[in-house]
Amino acid sequence: MSRRAARTRTLAGPAPRHPLGAYPAYRADPLTLFYEQAVAYGGSVRLRLVNQHVHLLVDPDHINQVLVTGAAKYRKGISYQSLNYLLGPGLLTSGGELWKRQRALIKPAFARRHVDAEIPLMVECGQRMLERLDAHAADGAPFDLVPEVMGFAADVVCRAVMGADIDGILPQIEDDVRNGVAWVMRHMAAPLQVPPTVPTPANRRFLGVLARLHRVVDDVIKGNRNSNAGQADSLLGRLLTARDDAGHAMDDEQLRHEVLTFLLAGHETTGGALAWSVYELCRNPAVLSRVRAEIDAVLGGTEIENAVPSLELTGRAIDEAMRLHPPAWAFSRTAIEADSFDTFDLEPGAIVVISPFVNHRFPDFWESPLTFDPDRFTKENAKARPPFRYFPFGWGAHLCVGQHMALVEVRIGLAMLLSRYDIELVNGLRVRENPEISNTPDPVFVRLTRRQRTAPTTSTLAEAAR
Ligand code: HEM
Protein backbone atom coordinates (compact mmCIF):
# COMPACT_ATOMS: atom_id res chain seq x y z
CA MET A 1 0.00 0.00 0.00
CA SER A 2 1.35 3.45 -0.84
CA ARG A 3 2.19 5.86 1.98
CA ARG A 4 -0.58 8.19 0.81
CA ALA A 5 -3.23 5.43 0.81
CA ALA A 6 -2.15 4.33 4.29
CA ARG A 7 -2.79 7.87 5.60
CA THR A 8 -6.41 7.95 4.50
CA ARG A 9 -7.73 4.81 6.19
CA THR A 10 -10.85 5.87 8.07
CA LEU A 11 -12.49 4.18 11.03
CA ALA A 12 -15.74 2.47 9.99
CA GLY A 13 -19.04 3.97 11.06
CA PRO A 14 -22.61 4.56 9.94
CA ALA A 15 -23.40 6.90 7.04
CA PRO A 16 -26.50 8.65 8.39
CA ARG A 17 -28.63 10.35 5.75
CA HIS A 18 -29.68 13.19 8.03
CA PRO A 19 -27.87 16.40 7.02
CA LEU A 20 -26.69 16.82 10.61
CA GLY A 21 -25.43 13.22 10.73
CA ALA A 22 -25.86 11.55 14.11
CA TYR A 23 -26.23 14.94 15.83
CA PRO A 24 -30.01 14.71 16.46
CA ALA A 25 -29.52 11.23 18.01
CA TYR A 26 -26.60 12.61 20.05
CA ARG A 27 -28.69 15.49 21.36
CA ALA A 28 -31.56 13.16 22.23
CA ASP A 29 -29.55 10.45 24.00
CA PRO A 30 -25.74 10.30 23.62
CA LEU A 31 -25.35 7.23 25.83
CA THR A 32 -27.66 5.11 23.69
CA LEU A 33 -26.13 6.42 20.46
CA PHE A 34 -22.57 5.62 21.59
CA TYR A 35 -23.48 2.24 23.07
CA GLU A 36 -25.57 1.04 20.15
CA GLN A 37 -23.11 2.14 17.49
CA ALA A 38 -20.16 0.60 19.35
CA VAL A 39 -22.07 -2.68 19.62
CA ALA A 40 -23.17 -2.51 15.97
CA TYR A 41 -19.57 -1.96 14.79
CA GLY A 42 -18.03 -4.38 17.28
CA GLY A 43 -15.93 -1.71 19.05
CA SER A 44 -14.40 1.57 17.96
CA VAL A 45 -16.62 3.51 15.56
CA ARG A 46 -16.66 6.85 13.70
CA LEU A 47 -19.74 9.07 13.97
CA ARG A 48 -20.54 12.27 12.11
CA LEU A 49 -21.97 15.07 14.27
CA VAL A 50 -22.92 17.95 11.95
CA ASN A 51 -19.64 18.59 10.12
CA GLN A 52 -17.24 16.94 12.55
CA HIS A 53 -16.28 13.29 12.86
CA VAL A 54 -16.02 11.84 16.33
CA HIS A 55 -13.88 8.73 16.81
CA LEU A 56 -15.41 6.76 19.67
CA LEU A 57 -12.63 4.41 20.75
CA VAL A 58 -13.69 1.23 22.53
CA ASP A 59 -10.98 -1.34 21.69
CA PRO A 60 -8.49 -1.49 24.58
CA ASP A 61 -5.50 -1.23 22.21
CA HIS A 62 -6.89 1.95 20.67
CA ILE A 63 -7.56 3.56 24.06
CA ASN A 64 -4.16 2.51 25.36
CA GLN A 65 -2.52 4.21 22.40
CA VAL A 66 -4.35 7.50 23.05
CA LEU A 67 -4.10 7.58 26.84
CA VAL A 68 -0.74 5.89 27.39
CA THR A 69 1.69 4.86 24.64
CA GLY A 70 0.94 7.73 22.22
CA ALA A 71 -0.47 10.21 24.75
CA ALA A 72 2.01 12.92 23.65
CA LYS A 73 0.17 13.11 20.30
CA TYR A 74 -3.07 14.23 21.98
CA ARG A 75 -4.36 17.10 24.06
CA LYS A 76 -7.56 17.42 26.06
CA GLY A 77 -10.42 17.56 23.58
CA ILE A 78 -13.46 19.57 22.55
CA SER A 79 -15.53 18.87 25.65
CA TYR A 80 -12.90 20.75 27.65
CA GLN A 81 -12.98 23.89 25.52
CA SER A 82 -16.37 25.03 26.80
CA LEU A 83 -15.35 24.17 30.36
CA ASN A 84 -12.28 26.33 29.94
CA TYR A 85 -14.51 29.42 29.80
CA LEU A 86 -15.82 28.59 33.27
CA LEU A 87 -12.69 27.29 34.95
CA GLY A 88 -9.79 28.85 33.10
CA PRO A 89 -6.68 26.74 32.48
CA GLY A 90 -6.75 24.57 35.61
CA LEU A 91 -5.63 20.94 35.88
CA LEU A 92 -8.72 19.57 34.13
CA THR A 93 -8.61 21.79 31.05
CA SER A 94 -4.94 22.71 30.57
CA GLY A 95 -2.24 20.84 28.69
CA GLY A 96 1.47 20.84 27.91
CA GLU A 97 3.98 22.29 30.30
CA LEU A 98 1.41 24.18 32.38
CA TRP A 99 -0.50 20.94 33.07
CA LYS A 100 2.70 19.04 33.87
CA ARG A 101 3.84 21.64 36.36
CA GLN A 102 0.41 21.96 37.96
CA ARG A 103 -0.04 18.18 38.20
CA ALA A 104 3.26 17.87 40.07
CA LEU A 105 2.25 20.67 42.45
CA ILE A 106 -1.30 19.44 43.03
CA LYS A 107 -0.99 15.64 43.23
CA PRO A 108 0.64 15.61 46.71
CA ALA A 109 -2.23 17.73 48.09
CA PHE A 110 -4.57 14.77 47.39
CA ALA A 111 -2.36 12.20 49.13
CA ARG A 112 -4.23 9.53 51.09
CA ARG A 113 -3.14 10.88 54.46
CA HIS A 114 -4.61 14.31 53.61
CA VAL A 115 -7.87 12.83 52.36
CA ASP A 116 -8.13 10.58 55.43
CA ALA A 117 -7.62 13.63 57.62
CA GLU A 118 -10.73 15.11 55.97
CA ILE A 119 -12.98 12.24 57.10
CA PRO A 120 -14.30 14.10 60.19
CA LEU A 121 -15.29 16.98 57.89
CA MET A 122 -17.08 14.53 55.57
CA VAL A 123 -18.93 13.05 58.55
CA GLU A 124 -20.03 16.53 59.66
CA CYS A 125 -21.37 17.16 56.15
CA GLY A 126 -23.12 13.77 56.35
CA GLN A 127 -24.73 14.81 59.65
CA ARG A 128 -26.07 17.95 58.00
CA MET A 129 -27.49 15.83 55.17
CA LEU A 130 -29.19 13.51 57.71
CA GLU A 131 -30.70 16.51 59.51
CA ARG A 132 -32.26 17.65 56.24
CA LEU A 133 -33.41 14.13 55.43
CA ASP A 134 -34.93 13.58 58.89
CA ALA A 135 -37.51 16.20 57.96
CA HIS A 136 -38.43 14.18 54.86
CA ALA A 137 -38.61 10.97 56.92
CA ALA A 138 -40.90 12.63 59.47
CA ASP A 139 -43.17 13.91 56.74
CA GLY A 140 -43.30 10.52 54.95
CA ALA A 141 -43.90 11.98 51.46
CA PRO A 142 -41.80 10.93 48.43
CA PHE A 143 -39.10 13.39 47.36
CA ASP A 144 -36.15 13.53 44.97
CA LEU A 145 -33.01 12.28 46.72
CA VAL A 146 -30.63 13.64 44.05
CA PRO A 147 -30.46 17.31 45.15
CA GLU A 148 -29.93 16.13 48.75
CA VAL A 149 -26.91 13.97 47.95
CA MET A 150 -25.61 16.66 45.58
CA GLY A 151 -25.89 19.08 48.51
CA PHE A 152 -23.77 16.70 50.60
CA ALA A 153 -21.13 16.44 47.86
CA ALA A 154 -21.05 20.23 47.38
CA ASP A 155 -20.74 20.76 51.14
CA VAL A 156 -17.79 18.33 51.31
CA VAL A 157 -15.89 19.60 48.28
CA CYS A 158 -16.31 23.31 49.10
CA ARG A 159 -15.12 22.82 52.68
CA ALA A 160 -12.34 20.39 51.80
CA VAL A 161 -11.04 22.80 49.17
CA MET A 162 -11.57 26.17 50.84
CA GLY A 163 -11.64 25.33 54.56
CA ALA A 164 -14.49 24.57 56.94
CA ASP A 165 -15.38 28.18 57.68
CA ILE A 166 -17.37 29.14 54.59
CA ASP A 167 -21.00 28.98 55.78
CA GLY A 168 -21.72 32.53 54.64
CA ILE A 169 -20.72 32.02 51.01
CA LEU A 170 -21.61 28.37 50.38
CA PRO A 171 -25.14 28.83 48.96
CA GLN A 172 -23.97 31.54 46.56
CA ILE A 173 -21.07 29.41 45.33
CA GLU A 174 -23.33 26.39 44.82
CA ASP A 175 -25.79 28.50 42.89
CA ASP A 176 -23.15 30.11 40.69
CA VAL A 177 -21.39 26.82 39.95
CA ARG A 178 -24.76 25.28 38.98
CA ASN A 179 -25.58 28.19 36.65
CA GLY A 180 -22.07 28.18 35.20
CA VAL A 181 -22.33 24.44 34.48
CA ALA A 182 -25.72 24.94 32.79
CA TRP A 183 -24.14 27.52 30.45
CA VAL A 184 -21.22 25.17 29.71
CA MET A 185 -23.65 22.35 28.86
CA ARG A 186 -25.56 24.53 26.40
CA HIS A 187 -22.31 25.78 24.90
CA MET A 188 -20.89 22.25 24.50
CA ALA A 189 -24.03 20.98 22.79
CA ALA A 190 -24.48 23.93 20.42
CA PRO A 191 -23.69 23.14 16.77
CA LEU A 192 -22.04 26.58 16.49
CA GLN A 193 -20.00 27.62 19.53
CA VAL A 194 -19.80 31.37 20.08
CA PRO A 195 -17.49 32.68 22.83
CA PRO A 196 -19.08 34.21 25.94
CA THR A 197 -17.89 37.67 24.90
CA VAL A 198 -20.61 37.77 22.21
CA PRO A 199 -23.27 39.75 24.13
CA THR A 200 -26.29 37.42 24.01
CA PRO A 201 -28.56 37.52 27.11
CA ALA A 202 -27.32 34.04 28.16
CA ASN A 203 -23.69 35.08 27.75
CA ARG A 204 -24.22 38.27 29.74
CA ARG A 205 -25.74 36.23 32.58
CA PHE A 206 -22.82 33.78 32.37
CA LEU A 207 -20.26 36.59 32.62
CA GLY A 208 -22.11 37.88 35.69
CA VAL A 209 -21.94 34.44 37.30
CA LEU A 210 -18.25 34.19 36.44
CA ALA A 211 -17.44 37.62 37.90
CA ARG A 212 -19.21 36.69 41.16
CA LEU A 213 -17.43 33.32 41.38
CA HIS A 214 -14.06 34.97 40.78
CA ARG A 215 -14.74 37.57 43.48
CA VAL A 216 -15.72 34.98 46.08
CA VAL A 217 -12.85 32.58 45.31
CA ASP A 218 -10.32 35.44 45.15
CA ASP A 219 -11.49 36.64 48.58
CA VAL A 220 -11.06 33.14 50.03
CA ILE A 221 -7.56 32.90 48.51
CA LYS A 222 -6.62 36.32 49.90
CA GLY A 223 -7.99 35.39 53.32
CA ASN A 224 -5.95 32.20 53.34
CA ARG A 225 -2.78 33.98 52.25
CA ASN A 226 -3.17 36.55 54.99
CA SER A 227 -3.78 34.11 57.82
CA ASN A 228 -1.38 31.38 58.70
CA ALA A 229 -3.89 29.75 61.05
CA GLY A 230 -5.25 26.45 59.79
CA GLN A 231 -3.82 26.91 56.29
CA ALA A 232 -2.74 23.34 55.82
CA ASP A 233 -6.22 22.09 56.83
CA SER A 234 -7.66 22.72 53.38
CA LEU A 235 -6.60 21.81 49.88
CA LEU A 236 -6.19 25.50 49.17
CA GLY A 237 -3.92 25.81 52.19
CA ARG A 238 -1.78 22.95 50.89
CA LEU A 239 -1.65 24.48 47.41
CA LEU A 240 -0.56 27.82 48.88
CA THR A 241 2.48 26.18 50.41
CA ALA A 242 3.25 23.89 47.44
CA ARG A 243 6.50 24.60 45.55
CA ASP A 244 7.77 23.13 42.29
CA ASP A 245 11.32 21.85 41.74
CA ALA A 246 12.52 25.39 41.02
CA GLY A 247 10.94 26.60 44.28
CA HIS A 248 8.09 28.50 42.55
CA ALA A 249 4.61 28.73 44.03
CA MET A 250 1.27 29.16 42.21
CA ASP A 251 0.07 32.73 41.72
CA ASP A 252 -3.42 33.79 42.77
CA GLU A 253 -4.88 33.56 39.29
CA GLN A 254 -3.71 29.97 38.82
CA LEU A 255 -4.99 29.12 42.30
CA ARG A 256 -8.38 30.48 41.29
CA HIS A 257 -8.45 28.20 38.22
CA GLU A 258 -7.58 25.20 40.36
CA VAL A 259 -10.09 25.98 43.12
CA LEU A 260 -12.87 26.35 40.54
CA THR A 261 -11.71 23.11 38.89
CA PHE A 262 -11.97 21.15 42.13
CA LEU A 263 -15.38 22.62 42.98
CA LEU A 264 -16.68 21.52 39.61
CA ALA A 265 -14.82 18.20 39.16
CA GLY A 266 -15.54 17.01 42.68
CA HIS A 267 -19.20 17.89 43.05
CA GLU A 268 -21.68 16.31 40.63
CA THR A 269 -19.39 13.36 39.91
CA THR A 270 -19.27 12.32 43.55
CA GLY A 271 -22.92 13.18 44.22
CA GLY A 272 -23.86 11.15 41.13
CA ALA A 273 -21.87 8.13 42.34
CA LEU A 274 -23.69 8.27 45.68
CA ALA A 275 -27.13 8.69 44.10
CA TRP A 276 -26.55 5.81 41.65
CA SER A 277 -25.31 3.59 44.50
CA VAL A 278 -28.48 4.19 46.53
CA TYR A 279 -30.60 3.59 43.43
CA GLU A 280 -28.94 0.30 42.48
CA LEU A 281 -29.04 -1.00 46.05
CA CYS A 282 -32.74 -0.20 46.33
CA ARG A 283 -33.33 -2.16 43.11
CA ASN A 284 -31.29 -5.10 44.37
CA PRO A 285 -32.63 -5.91 47.84
CA ALA A 286 -30.55 -9.07 48.29
CA VAL A 287 -27.33 -7.07 47.82
CA LEU A 288 -28.75 -4.23 49.93
CA SER A 289 -29.31 -6.51 52.88
CA ARG A 290 -25.70 -7.78 52.72
CA VAL A 291 -24.36 -4.22 52.44
CA ARG A 292 -26.52 -3.05 55.31
CA ALA A 293 -25.45 -6.00 57.46
CA GLU A 294 -21.85 -4.98 56.86
CA ILE A 295 -22.55 -1.34 57.70
CA ASP A 296 -24.49 -2.23 60.87
CA ALA A 297 -21.77 -4.61 62.02
CA VAL A 298 -18.95 -2.15 61.34
CA LEU A 299 -20.72 0.86 62.83
CA GLY A 300 -21.79 -1.26 65.81
CA GLY A 301 -18.17 -1.54 66.86
CA THR A 302 -16.38 1.46 65.34
CA GLU A 303 -16.92 5.19 65.01
CA ILE A 304 -17.75 6.07 61.40
CA GLU A 305 -14.56 8.15 61.26
CA ASN A 306 -12.57 4.89 61.45
CA ALA A 307 -14.98 2.64 59.57
CA VAL A 308 -14.01 3.24 55.94
CA PRO A 309 -11.40 0.46 55.53
CA SER A 310 -13.87 -2.11 56.92
CA LEU A 311 -16.70 -1.13 54.60
CA GLU A 312 -15.40 -3.54 51.98
CA LEU A 313 -18.61 -4.85 50.40
CA THR A 314 -20.04 -1.32 50.56
CA GLY A 315 -17.04 -0.15 48.53
CA ARG A 316 -17.59 -2.90 45.97
CA ALA A 317 -21.26 -1.96 45.62
CA ILE A 318 -20.13 1.61 44.85
CA ASP A 319 -17.62 0.31 42.29
CA GLU A 320 -20.39 -1.67 40.63
CA ALA A 321 -22.81 1.29 40.64
CA MET A 322 -20.08 3.33 38.91
CA ARG A 323 -19.62 0.53 36.39
CA LEU A 324 -23.24 0.70 35.28
CA HIS A 325 -23.49 4.47 35.69
CA PRO A 326 -20.04 6.06 35.45
CA PRO A 327 -20.42 9.72 36.47
CA ALA A 328 -17.71 10.70 33.96
CA TRP A 329 -19.55 8.97 31.12
CA ALA A 330 -17.16 10.16 28.36
CA PHE A 331 -14.08 12.31 27.93
CA SER A 332 -12.30 13.55 24.84
CA ARG A 333 -8.94 14.17 23.24
CA THR A 334 -7.86 15.99 20.08
CA ALA A 335 -4.98 14.67 17.98
CA ILE A 336 -2.18 17.23 17.66
CA GLU A 337 -0.20 14.95 15.32
CA ALA A 338 -1.16 12.25 12.83
CA ASP A 339 -1.45 8.81 14.39
CA SER A 340 -1.88 5.30 12.98
CA PHE A 341 -3.86 2.43 14.44
CA ASP A 342 -4.36 -1.15 13.23
CA THR A 343 -7.21 -0.37 10.83
CA PHE A 344 -7.39 3.43 10.62
CA ASP A 345 -5.41 6.64 10.85
CA LEU A 346 -6.12 9.93 12.53
CA GLU A 347 -5.19 13.28 11.06
CA PRO A 348 -4.10 16.21 13.26
CA GLY A 349 -7.26 17.80 14.69
CA ALA A 350 -9.16 14.47 14.79
CA ILE A 351 -11.61 14.21 17.68
CA VAL A 352 -11.38 11.16 19.94
CA VAL A 353 -14.00 10.25 22.51
CA ILE A 354 -13.52 7.58 25.17
CA SER A 355 -16.60 6.49 27.05
CA PRO A 356 -16.42 4.56 30.33
CA PHE A 357 -20.20 4.09 29.94
CA VAL A 358 -19.73 2.11 26.72
CA ASN A 359 -16.76 0.06 27.90
CA HIS A 360 -18.32 -0.67 31.30
CA ARG A 361 -21.30 -2.34 29.58
CA PHE A 362 -19.73 -3.61 26.38
CA PRO A 363 -21.01 -7.18 25.90
CA ASP A 364 -17.62 -8.54 24.75
CA PHE A 365 -16.02 -7.37 28.00
CA TRP A 366 -18.57 -8.37 30.65
CA GLU A 367 -20.76 -11.34 31.44
CA SER A 368 -24.39 -10.27 31.94
CA PRO A 369 -23.32 -6.61 31.74
CA LEU A 370 -26.66 -5.24 32.91
CA THR A 371 -26.74 -7.29 36.14
CA PHE A 372 -25.73 -5.43 39.31
CA ASP A 373 -23.15 -7.65 40.98
CA PRO A 374 -20.57 -6.17 43.40
CA ASP A 375 -18.71 -9.49 43.39
CA ARG A 376 -17.20 -8.45 40.08
CA PHE A 377 -14.98 -6.29 42.27
CA THR A 378 -13.59 -8.81 44.72
CA LYS A 379 -9.79 -8.48 44.81
CA GLU A 380 -9.31 -11.62 42.70
CA ASN A 381 -11.86 -10.62 40.06
CA ALA A 382 -10.57 -7.05 39.78
CA LYS A 383 -6.99 -8.31 39.47
CA ALA A 384 -7.90 -10.81 36.75
CA ARG A 385 -9.69 -8.17 34.62
CA PRO A 386 -7.86 -7.04 31.48
CA PRO A 387 -7.25 -3.28 31.14
CA PHE A 388 -9.78 -0.74 29.79
CA ARG A 389 -12.87 -2.67 30.84
CA TYR A 390 -13.35 -0.51 33.94
CA PHE A 391 -11.97 3.02 34.31
CA PRO A 392 -14.46 5.38 36.00
CA PHE A 393 -11.59 7.68 37.02
CA GLY A 394 -9.81 7.70 33.66
CA TRP A 395 -6.42 6.17 32.91
CA GLY A 396 -2.82 7.20 32.38
CA ALA A 397 -1.25 10.55 33.15
CA HIS A 398 -4.60 12.32 33.61
CA LEU A 399 -6.01 9.78 36.07
CA CYS A 400 -8.37 11.60 38.44
CA VAL A 401 -6.51 13.23 41.33
CA GLY A 402 -9.71 13.13 43.43
CA GLN A 403 -10.24 9.36 43.16
CA HIS A 404 -9.46 8.44 46.77
CA MET A 405 -11.33 11.46 48.10
CA ALA A 406 -14.43 10.53 46.08
CA LEU A 407 -14.38 6.86 47.08
CA VAL A 408 -14.01 7.66 50.78
CA GLU A 409 -16.70 10.32 50.62
CA VAL A 410 -19.24 8.09 48.87
CA ARG A 411 -18.63 5.25 51.34
CA ILE A 412 -19.24 7.61 54.25
CA GLY A 413 -22.36 9.12 52.69
CA LEU A 414 -23.79 5.70 51.81
CA ALA A 415 -23.03 4.18 55.21
CA MET A 416 -24.68 7.13 56.98
CA LEU A 417 -27.78 6.94 54.77
CA LEU A 418 -28.26 3.18 54.99
CA SER A 419 -27.69 2.94 58.70
CA ARG A 420 -30.25 5.66 59.39
CA TYR A 421 -33.09 4.91 56.94
CA ASP A 422 -35.08 2.30 55.14
CA ILE A 423 -35.29 3.68 51.62
CA GLU A 424 -38.20 2.89 49.35
CA LEU A 425 -37.65 3.67 45.69
CA VAL A 426 -40.83 5.26 44.39
CA ASN A 427 -40.00 5.68 40.68
CA GLY A 428 -37.75 2.64 40.19
CA LEU A 429 -38.71 2.02 36.58
CA ARG A 430 -38.51 5.59 35.41
CA VAL A 431 -35.10 6.78 36.59
CA ARG A 432 -33.13 7.88 33.57
CA GLU A 433 -29.48 8.63 32.98
CA ASN A 434 -28.89 12.34 32.67
CA PRO A 435 -25.56 12.62 30.86
CA GLU A 436 -24.45 16.21 31.21
CA ILE A 437 -20.95 17.09 32.38
CA SER A 438 -21.53 14.17 34.76
CA ASN A 439 -24.04 11.37 34.43
CA THR A 440 -26.53 11.76 37.26
CA PRO A 441 -29.83 9.94 37.82
CA ASP A 442 -32.79 12.13 37.14
CA PRO A 443 -34.73 12.08 39.47
CA VAL A 444 -34.67 9.39 42.20
CA PHE A 445 -37.92 9.66 44.12
CA VAL A 446 -37.75 7.89 47.48
CA ARG A 447 -39.67 7.60 50.73
CA LEU A 448 -37.58 7.38 53.90
CA THR A 449 -38.37 5.71 57.21
CA ARG A 450 -36.11 6.02 60.24
CA ARG A 451 -34.81 2.53 61.06
CA GLN A 452 -35.12 0.85 64.42
CA ARG A 453 -31.49 -0.28 64.61
CA THR A 454 -31.02 -3.72 66.12
CA ALA A 455 -27.70 -4.20 67.84
CA PRO A 456 -25.38 -5.99 65.41
CA THR A 457 -24.27 -9.45 66.38
CA THR A 458 -20.75 -10.78 65.89
CA SER A 459 -21.98 -12.98 63.07
CA THR A 460 -23.41 -10.10 61.01
CA LEU A 461 -20.07 -9.24 59.43
CA ALA A 462 -19.50 -12.83 58.41
CA GLU A 463 -23.01 -12.96 56.94
CA ALA A 464 -22.42 -9.77 54.99
CA ALA A 465 -19.22 -11.09 53.50
CA ARG A 466 -20.96 -14.21 52.21
C1 HEM B 1 -16.89 9.81 41.58
C2 HEM B 1 -16.24 10.94 41.45
C3 HEM B 1 -15.29 11.26 40.31
C4 HEM B 1 -15.21 10.73 39.06
C5 HEM B 1 -16.05 9.60 38.46
C6 HEM B 1 -14.12 11.40 38.38
C7 HEM B 1 -13.70 11.09 37.09
C8 HEM B 1 -12.61 11.65 36.47
C9 HEM B 1 -12.08 11.24 35.17
C10 HEM B 1 -12.64 10.15 34.28
C11 HEM B 1 -11.00 12.01 34.91
C12 HEM B 1 -10.07 11.91 33.69
C13 HEM B 1 -10.52 12.82 32.58
C14 HEM B 1 -9.63 12.76 31.35
O1 HEM B 1 -8.69 11.96 31.26
O2 HEM B 1 -9.91 13.55 30.41
C15 HEM B 1 -10.84 12.93 36.03
C16 HEM B 1 -9.87 13.90 36.12
C17 HEM B 1 -9.82 14.83 37.13
N1 HEM B 1 -10.56 14.84 38.29
FE1 HEM B 1 -11.99 13.54 38.79
N2 HEM B 1 -13.61 12.35 39.21
C18 HEM B 1 -14.28 12.30 40.42
C19 HEM B 1 -14.04 13.08 41.53
C20 HEM B 1 -13.12 14.09 41.61
C21 HEM B 1 -12.86 14.91 42.77
C22 HEM B 1 -13.51 14.71 44.15
C23 HEM B 1 -11.93 15.84 42.41
C24 HEM B 1 -11.30 16.95 43.22
C25 HEM B 1 -11.81 17.50 44.29
C26 HEM B 1 -11.58 15.59 41.02
C27 HEM B 1 -10.68 16.32 40.28
C28 HEM B 1 -10.20 15.94 39.03
C29 HEM B 1 -9.17 16.68 38.31
C30 HEM B 1 -8.48 17.96 38.78
C31 HEM B 1 -8.92 15.97 37.12
C32 HEM B 1 -7.92 16.33 36.02
C33 HEM B 1 -6.68 15.49 36.19
C34 HEM B 1 -5.63 15.73 35.12
O3 HEM B 1 -5.97 15.96 33.95
O4 HEM B 1 -4.45 15.69 35.48
N3 HEM B 1 -12.32 14.52 40.57
N4 HEM B 1 -11.82 12.67 36.96
Side-chain angles (χ1 to χ4, degrees), residues 67 76 80 91-92 99 103 110 157 161 235 261-262 265-266 269-270 273 322 327-328 331-333 391-395 397-403 405-406 409:
L67 295 186
K76 292 275 182 80
Y80 291 106
L91 196 59
L92 193 61
W99 169 79
R103 177 94 188 180
F110 282 90
V157 77
V161 172
L235 254 161
T261 296
F262 301 147
T269 45
T270 315
M322 283 198 296
F331 48 91
S332 64
R333 295 289 186 270
F391 50 101
F393 293 98
W395 201 290
H398 291 282
L399 184 73
C400 178
V401 284
Q403 175 172 359
M405 177 177 169
E409 181 183 334

Side-chain angles (χ1 to χ4, degrees), residues 56 67 80 95 199 211-212 243 270 340 363 395 422 424 454:
L56 171 65
L67 295 186
Y80 291 106
R212 239 187 346 261
R243 299 289 179 268
T270 315
S340 270
W395 201 290
D422 280 319
E424 179 197 345
T454 44

Side-chain angles (χ1 to χ4, degrees), residues 266-277:
H267 167 198
E268 285 192 356
T269 45
T270 315
L274 178 52
W276 282 120
S277 300

Side-chain angles (χ1 to χ4, degrees), residues 150-174:
M150 289 296 172
F152 163 70
D155 202 8
V156 172
V157 77
C158 288
R159 288 172 201 272
V161 172
M162 299 192 285
D165 189 20
I166 51 162
D167 284 349
I169 53 173
L170 198 59
Q172 184 68 57
I173 293 183
E174 276 185 50

